[in-house]
Amino acid sequence: MRTALLQSSGRPGSVDGNLKVLDEAAGRAAAAGAALLAAPEMFLTGYAIGDDIARLAEPADGDSADAVAEIAARHGVAIAYGYPEAASGSVFNSAQLISATGDRLAGYRKTHLFGCFERDHFTPGEQPVVQARLGGLTVGLMICYDVEFPENVRAHALAGTDLLIVPTAQMHPFQFVAESMIPVRAFENQMYVAYVNRVGQEGEFEFVGLSTLAGPDGVARTRAGRGEELVFADADPVSLAASREANPYLQDRRPGLYGSLV
């Protein structure tokens, strides 16, 4: 499944502006044969927007979700994107996957909040594994800091995730996560990991870009630089099956020894 990663911070504070950026990227992704376009964490509103997070938060089936669904259906490409979700009197740092026909396939709420900024503005989610079927693959959702906890990604591996989509807002000086940790996560869990980042200065944060799609062999299939980019790579179920057959990590686990971890 050809996958496009939109490395961009869009237009912080402007939902309409970000929908336009997403629309343009979806057109380019579809023209290049992509079946899936992934956008960064909090893409619809911007990340470092302070109290505007609560003001711009919407339900999972709100107007912005409908607008993304229309973009996906018009271009014939599935879209995964980050946004602030309003639900039950709380605001969640969420990601949603929309099909190429405009159907909402999956919604995920970030379970591990990073730093005071996020803990001040969001409620943590409680469901660690969220999946959907897309293009013959089992696709999972996770957000940024979540992928830095090995237990989180292993839970996806045990649940059969083939492609893990990770909208992120990775900032300086933690670029080693994109450069080193993501390929290792893909290898040790025998899956593809699509890590799609914001870029540039936004408020107090400097986002480092370096979006990547890493394969089950631990090799980056594509890697963006430090500017705004749309990059492409394939998640191949045939190669994934062969890699899983050759790599014994999941089969050689001894869960009875791991009780002390929890």
Side-chain angles (χ1 to χ4, degrees):
M1 182 169 65
R2 192 153 179 78
T3 302
L5 308 184
L6 173 58
Q7 179 167 286
S8 172
S9 286
R11 308 292 180 263
S14 173
V15 173
D16 287 344
N18 292 324
L19 286 170
K20 290 178 182 177
V21 173
L22 193 65
D23 191 4
E24 188 271 340
R28 291 169 58 200
L36 169 65
L37 169 66
E41 180 176 4
M42 292 286 287
F43 183 75
L44 278 191
T45 61
Y47 181 90
I49 59 173
D51 291 339
D52 279 348
I53 288 173
R55 181 179 66 82
L56 296 175
E58 294 185 28
D61 59 354
D63 291 345
S64 292
D66 289 343
V68 175
E70 189 277 329
I71 291 169
R74 178 156 41 83
H75 293 290
V77 60
I79 298 176
Y81 65 99
Y83 73 107
E85 178 190 357
S88 304
S90 297
V91 177
F92 299 90
N93 184 336
S94 295
Q96 188 154 220
L97 176 63
I98 306 289
S99 78
T101 56
D103 297 313
R104 286 186 291 275
L105 297 181
Y108 172 78
R109 296 167 175 173
K110 190 173 186 178
T111 56
H112 295 74
L113 301 181
F114 179 78
C116 295
F117 178 82
E118 290 192 6
R119 289 192 289 269
D120 285 345
H121 289 93
F122 299 109
T123 297
E126 297 295 335
Q127 187 174 355
V129 176
V130 172
Q131 299 169 311
R133 290 292 293 176
L134 184 69
L137 297 172
T138 298
V139 176
L141 292 174
M142 192 174 283
I143 299 174
C144 198
Y145 194 41
D146 291 329
V147 80
E148 298 176 37
F149 293 81
E151 302 90 341
N152 259 12
V153 188
R154 182 53 53 87
H156 269 274
L158 295 177
T161 294
D162 300 314
L163 169 61
L164 184 62
I165 304 170
V166 189
T168 191
Q170 183 63 68
M171 57 198 68
H172 178 82
F174 306 110
Q175 50 266 32
F176 67 87
V177 174
E179 293 171 335
S180 301
M181 186 181 291
I182 296 306
V184 170
R185 288 285 180 270
F187 178 70
E188 69 189 1
N189 291 289
Q190 287 300 288
M191 62 174 63
Y192 290 95
V193 180
Y195 187 78
V196 54
N197 199 10
R198 305 180 69 83
V199 64
Q201 194 74 34
E202 189 178 332
E204 63 184 291
F205 306 112
E206 179 190 349
F207 299 114
V208 299
L210 303 176
S211 299
T212 187
L213 193 151
D217 54 1
V219 175
R221 298 297 192 271
T222 188
R223 187 181 295 282
R226 297 297 187 98
E228 299 220 349
E229 289 187 63
L230 186 67
V231 296
F232 298 86
D234 295 324
D236 179 7
V238 175
S239 295
L240 178 60
S243 181
R244 287 173 171 171
E245 181 70 25
N247 188 301
Y249 272 153
L250 298 183
Q251 296 91 326
D252 288 350
R253 293 174 66 252
R254 297 181 62 192
L257 301 180
Y258 310 149
S260 62
L261 295 178
V262 295

